[in-house]
Short mmCIF file of all heavy atoms in Angstrom, two decimals:
data_model
loop_
_atom_site.label_atom_id
_atom_site.label_comp_id
_atom_site.label_asym_id
_atom_site.label_seq_id
_atom_site.Cartn_x
_atom_site.Cartn_y
_atom_site.Cartn_z
N THR A 182 7.99 33.26 7.78
CA THR A 182 6.82 33.54 8.60
C THR A 182 5.63 33.75 7.67
O THR A 182 5.79 33.86 6.44
CB THR A 182 7.04 34.80 9.45
OG1 THR A 182 7.14 35.93 8.56
CG2 THR A 182 8.31 34.69 10.29
N LEU A 189 5.75 37.48 -0.42
CA LEU A 189 6.21 36.77 -1.62
C LEU A 189 5.07 36.40 -2.56
O LEU A 189 5.25 36.35 -3.78
CB LEU A 189 6.97 35.51 -1.22
CG LEU A 189 8.33 35.73 -0.54
CD1 LEU A 189 8.86 34.42 0.04
CD2 LEU A 189 9.34 36.30 -1.54
N VAL A 197 -3.30 34.53 3.65
CA VAL A 197 -2.38 33.41 3.85
C VAL A 197 -2.91 32.50 4.95
O VAL A 197 -2.94 31.27 4.81
CB VAL A 197 -0.96 33.89 4.20
CG1 VAL A 197 -0.07 32.71 4.58
CG2 VAL A 197 -0.37 34.67 3.04
N ALA A 213 -3.54 29.48 -5.29
CA ALA A 213 -2.43 29.06 -6.14
C ALA A 213 -1.15 29.82 -5.80
O ALA A 213 -0.06 29.24 -5.75
CB ALA A 213 -2.80 29.25 -7.62
N ARG A 247 -7.20 3.33 -1.86
CA ARG A 247 -8.67 3.23 -1.83
C ARG A 247 -9.09 2.72 -0.45
O ARG A 247 -8.53 1.77 0.09
CB ARG A 247 -9.20 2.32 -2.94
CG ARG A 247 -8.59 0.94 -3.01
CD ARG A 247 -8.91 0.23 -4.31
NE ARG A 247 -8.35 -1.11 -4.35
CZ ARG A 247 -9.01 -2.22 -4.06
NH1 ARG A 247 -10.27 -2.15 -3.70
NH2 ARG A 247 -8.42 -3.40 -4.13
N ARG A 258 -5.25 0.19 9.95
CA ARG A 258 -5.52 -0.04 11.38
C ARG A 258 -4.21 -0.07 12.17
O ARG A 258 -4.14 0.46 13.28
CB ARG A 258 -6.30 -1.34 11.57
CG ARG A 258 -7.75 -1.25 11.15
CD ARG A 258 -8.60 -2.33 11.80
NE ARG A 258 -8.17 -3.67 11.42
CZ ARG A 258 -8.61 -4.33 10.36
NH1 ARG A 258 -9.51 -3.76 9.56
NH2 ARG A 258 -8.20 -5.53 10.09
N GLU A 285 -1.80 16.50 -5.58
CA GLU A 285 -2.75 17.46 -4.99
C GLU A 285 -2.83 17.28 -3.47
O GLU A 285 -2.83 18.26 -2.71
CB GLU A 285 -4.12 17.26 -5.63
CG GLU A 285 -5.19 18.23 -5.16
CD GLU A 285 -6.50 17.99 -5.86
OE1 GLU A 285 -6.49 17.85 -7.11
OE2 GLU A 285 -7.54 17.91 -5.17
N THR A 317 10.29 14.05 5.14
CA THR A 317 9.18 13.87 6.07
C THR A 317 8.19 12.80 5.59
O THR A 317 7.08 12.71 6.09
CB THR A 317 8.40 15.18 6.26
OG1 THR A 317 7.93 15.64 4.98
CG2 THR A 317 9.27 16.26 6.89
N LEU A 321 4.60 3.27 1.78
CA LEU A 321 4.21 1.91 2.14
C LEU A 321 3.80 1.15 0.88
O LEU A 321 3.09 1.68 0.03
CB LEU A 321 3.05 1.93 3.14
CG LEU A 321 2.50 0.58 3.61
CD1 LEU A 321 3.57 -0.26 4.27
CD2 LEU A 321 1.33 0.78 4.55
N TYR A 325 11.07 2.51 -3.11
CA TYR A 325 11.72 3.53 -3.93
C TYR A 325 13.14 3.75 -3.41
O TYR A 325 13.34 3.97 -2.21
CB TYR A 325 10.96 4.85 -3.87
CG TYR A 325 9.58 4.83 -4.47
CD1 TYR A 325 8.46 4.61 -3.67
CD2 TYR A 325 9.38 5.02 -5.83
CE1 TYR A 325 7.18 4.60 -4.22
CE2 TYR A 325 8.10 5.01 -6.39
CZ TYR A 325 7.02 4.80 -5.57
OH TYR A 325 5.76 4.79 -6.11
N GLY A 337 8.71 -13.71 -1.77
CA GLY A 337 8.69 -14.71 -0.71
C GLY A 337 7.32 -15.31 -0.48
O GLY A 337 7.20 -16.50 -0.14
N MET A 343 4.43 -22.13 -2.98
CA MET A 343 4.90 -23.14 -3.93
C MET A 343 5.71 -24.23 -3.23
O MET A 343 5.57 -25.43 -3.52
CB MET A 343 5.72 -22.48 -5.03
CG MET A 343 4.95 -21.53 -5.92
SD MET A 343 3.70 -22.37 -6.97
CE MET A 343 4.77 -23.21 -8.16
N LYS A 345 5.45 -25.21 -0.11
CA LYS A 345 4.56 -26.05 0.69
C LYS A 345 3.79 -27.03 -0.19
O LYS A 345 3.65 -28.21 0.15
CB LYS A 345 3.60 -25.18 1.49
CG LYS A 345 2.73 -25.96 2.47
CD LYS A 345 2.29 -25.10 3.62
CE LYS A 345 1.67 -25.94 4.73
NZ LYS A 345 1.47 -25.19 5.97
N VAL A 404 -7.04 -21.99 -16.50
CA VAL A 404 -5.86 -22.59 -15.85
C VAL A 404 -6.14 -23.98 -15.29
O VAL A 404 -5.23 -24.65 -14.81
CB VAL A 404 -5.32 -21.68 -14.72
CG1 VAL A 404 -4.88 -20.34 -15.27
CG2 VAL A 404 -6.34 -21.51 -13.60
N LYS A 407 -7.03 -31.29 -16.67
CA LYS A 407 -7.30 -32.58 -16.02
C LYS A 407 -6.24 -32.93 -14.99
O LYS A 407 -6.51 -33.65 -14.03
CB LYS A 407 -7.39 -33.68 -17.07
CG LYS A 407 -8.61 -33.57 -17.98
CD LYS A 407 -8.66 -34.71 -18.98
CE LYS A 407 -9.90 -34.59 -19.85
NZ LYS A 407 -9.98 -35.72 -20.85
N HIS A 430 -18.48 -25.51 -10.55
CA HIS A 430 -18.25 -26.51 -11.58
C HIS A 430 -17.84 -27.85 -11.01
O HIS A 430 -17.27 -28.70 -11.72
CB HIS A 430 -17.22 -25.98 -12.58
CG HIS A 430 -17.72 -24.82 -13.39
ND1 HIS A 430 -17.71 -23.53 -12.90
CD2 HIS A 430 -18.27 -24.75 -14.63
CE1 HIS A 430 -18.21 -22.71 -13.81
NE2 HIS A 430 -18.56 -23.42 -14.86
N CYS A 438 -4.82 -21.54 -3.19
CA CYS A 438 -3.96 -20.77 -2.28
C CYS A 438 -4.08 -19.28 -2.60
O CYS A 438 -4.32 -18.90 -3.75
CB CYS A 438 -2.50 -21.18 -2.43
SG CYS A 438 -2.20 -22.95 -2.23
N GLY A 439 -3.88 -18.45 -1.59
CA GLY A 439 -3.93 -17.01 -1.79
C GLY A 439 -2.89 -16.30 -0.95
O GLY A 439 -2.12 -16.93 -0.22
N PHE A 458 0.39 -11.78 5.13
CA PHE A 458 1.32 -10.91 4.41
C PHE A 458 1.92 -9.83 5.29
O PHE A 458 2.88 -9.17 4.89
CB PHE A 458 0.57 -10.27 3.22
CG PHE A 458 1.44 -9.95 2.04
CD1 PHE A 458 2.51 -10.74 1.68
CD2 PHE A 458 1.19 -8.83 1.28
CE1 PHE A 458 3.31 -10.44 0.59
CE2 PHE A 458 1.98 -8.50 0.18
CZ PHE A 458 3.04 -9.32 -0.16
N ALA A 463 3.00 -4.07 8.95
CA ALA A 463 3.58 -3.03 8.10
C ALA A 463 3.08 -1.65 8.50
O ALA A 463 3.85 -0.68 8.51
CB ALA A 463 3.24 -3.30 6.63
N MET A 472 8.68 8.12 12.44
CA MET A 472 9.14 8.84 13.63
C MET A 472 10.66 8.98 13.64
O MET A 472 11.20 10.04 13.99
CB MET A 472 8.66 8.13 14.91
CG MET A 472 7.16 8.10 15.12
SD MET A 472 6.38 9.74 15.22
CE MET A 472 5.40 9.74 13.71
N GLY A 493 -0.99 -22.71 12.77
CA GLY A 493 -1.82 -23.89 12.50
C GLY A 493 -1.82 -24.33 11.06
O GLY A 493 -2.41 -25.37 10.74
#
Side-chain angles (χ1 to χ4, degrees):
T182 65
L189 291 169
V197 173
R247 53 194 181 97
R258 286 201 299 271
E285 183 179 312
T317 58
L321 179 59
Y325 294 96
M343 294 293 288
K345 186 154 191 168
V404 298
K407 291 182 179 180
H430 293 81
C438 306
F458 209 35
M472 295 301 112

